[in-house]
Structure formats: C-alpha cells, structure tokens
Amino acid sequence: MGDKITLDGKGEACLFECRVITAGGDPICGARIDVWSDNADGFYDVQQPGIQPKWNNRGVFRTGIDGCYSFVGIKPVSYPIPNDGPVGQMLESLGRHPYRPAHMHYVVTAPGYQKIVTHTFVGDDPYITSDTVFGVKQTLVAPFERIDHEHASWRSKFDFVLIPVAETVSTL
Ligand SMILES: [Fe+2]
C-alpha cells in the first residue's frame, strides 16, 4: 500500500487515496483494489509492448482494518480509442470525435460484497461531456487537487462503497 505504479517516469505524479466502505460508512478490511491507467502519452502498457515497461501504471492493493487505500500513479490523460477500422468510420459518420476523457480504472472486490468495475474521471478534461463511449456519470467525477507532496503534485480522493452480495440495488 502506498507504492508507485508508474514505471516509465512520465506524467504528473498523483496520489490516489481514500477508503473502501460499506453503505453505512464502516471500513471494509481485505478489499482488493485493482487499478490501471494510460501513461502520459495516452497509451496503455499492453498497446505499447517493448516501448512501455510491462505492468506500467497498473497495481493491486489490499485494504487493512481501516479500509484505506493509497498509491501513486499519474494524473491520467485523455486518449482516442482505436479509430482506424469500422468504429472509426462509424464515429466519422456520426460526426463524433474518438476521445475518452482522462480516467483511472478500478475493480474493487471484497469477500461478501458485490464486485465494482468502474472508473473515475478527471473533471476538468475537455472531453468530460462528450466521452466517445458514454461512460461518464457525475458521481464518477473525482476531485483532483494540487498538493505539495514529496512524491506527487496531485491528489485524488475517492471512496468506494460496496454492497453485500445478499442485497440488490434498485436503479428505478
Ligand atoms: Fe481506459
């Protein structure tokens, strides 16, 4: 916990931290947080084998009894989805750009709780209102604030709330 996941030395270092909690606000111990983002050039490590270090900007962390998590990545950047095939032709026909607003991916799991597969977004991104794959929700826009920290110049705090497996959540 607390480790740096950026291996290529690019981008603006960002401290991601906060808690995994229940709907009642209690910390969840032993939650697994699997995170990944693009690098500062807008590519994932798997898109650039031999260029980026393997596992660049990826990590797995597990919460302790306080439910807290923290790691240092980069402030992610917006990137275009691959648009050199039929998807690109479709977007062009619709007059849409291929960009996704900057985001950090998360899979959060814990024994006895429903899995969360989600991402958090950088609110001041120029594409925040026009994500080409329509993934943005207001509740997923995370704060990114400037900090004066030894290992990071940004901080993004975001709590993840897990629901027990026995319960279902109505979206109506
Ligand atoms: Fe992504």
Side-chain angles (χ1 to χ4, degrees):
M1 194 63 79
D3 263 359
K4 184 176 78 170
I5 62 171
T6 301
L7 306 177
D8 65 355
K10 294 183 176 180
E12 297 181 280
C14 180
L15 175 63
F16 294 85
E17 63 178 1
C18 228
R19 297 186 306 157
V20 180
I21 55 176
T22 66
D26 294 323
I28 296 177
C29 178
R32 176 189 153 111
I33 300 182
D34 188 336
V35 302
W36 67 101
S37 81
D38 58 354
N39 77 346
D41 297 326
F43 294 100
Y44 291 95
D45 60 342
V46 292
Q47 293 176 284
Q48 294 187 314
I51 297 175
Q52 291 190 39
K54 195 173 185 181
W55 311 122
N56 190 29
N57 292 308
R58 296 175 184 271
V60 176
F61 300 91
R62 202 171 291 275
T63 60
I65 57 171
D66 57 4
C68 293
Y69 72 88
S70 70
F71 62 92
V72 176
I74 63 165
K75 188 182 184 208
V77 301
S78 49
Y79 63 79
I81 62 171
N83 64 343
D84 55 351
V87 170
Q89 294 171 16
M90 182 188 73
L91 289 171
E92 187 158 336
S93 298
L94 294 169
R96 292 186 58 84
H97 65 72
Y99 280 83
R100 301 215 63 204
H103 54 273
M104 173 65 74
H105 287 273
Y106 291 90
V107 176
V108 185
T109 56
Y113 292 89
Q114 297 178 33
K115 176 195 282 188
I116 290 179
V117 181
T118 191
H119 33 9
T120 62
F121 291 90
V122 179
D124 64 359
D125 190 281
Y127 302 105
I128 194 70
T129 59
S130 62
D131 182 4
T132 196
V133 301
F134 303 101
V136 178
K137 292 181 178 178
Q138 193 58 43
T139 51
L140 297 178
V141 176
F144 281 78
E145 59 178 338
R146 282 280 188 189
I147 59 171
D148 184 15
H149 185 277
E150 182 182 1
H151 300 296
S153 53
W154 291 92
R155 174 169 60 192
S156 182
K157 299 177 72 173
F158 196 90
D159 280 339
F160 294 94
V161 179
L162 298 188
I163 303 299
V165 290
E167 295 182 24
T168 56
V169 176
S170 171
T171 56
L172 300 176

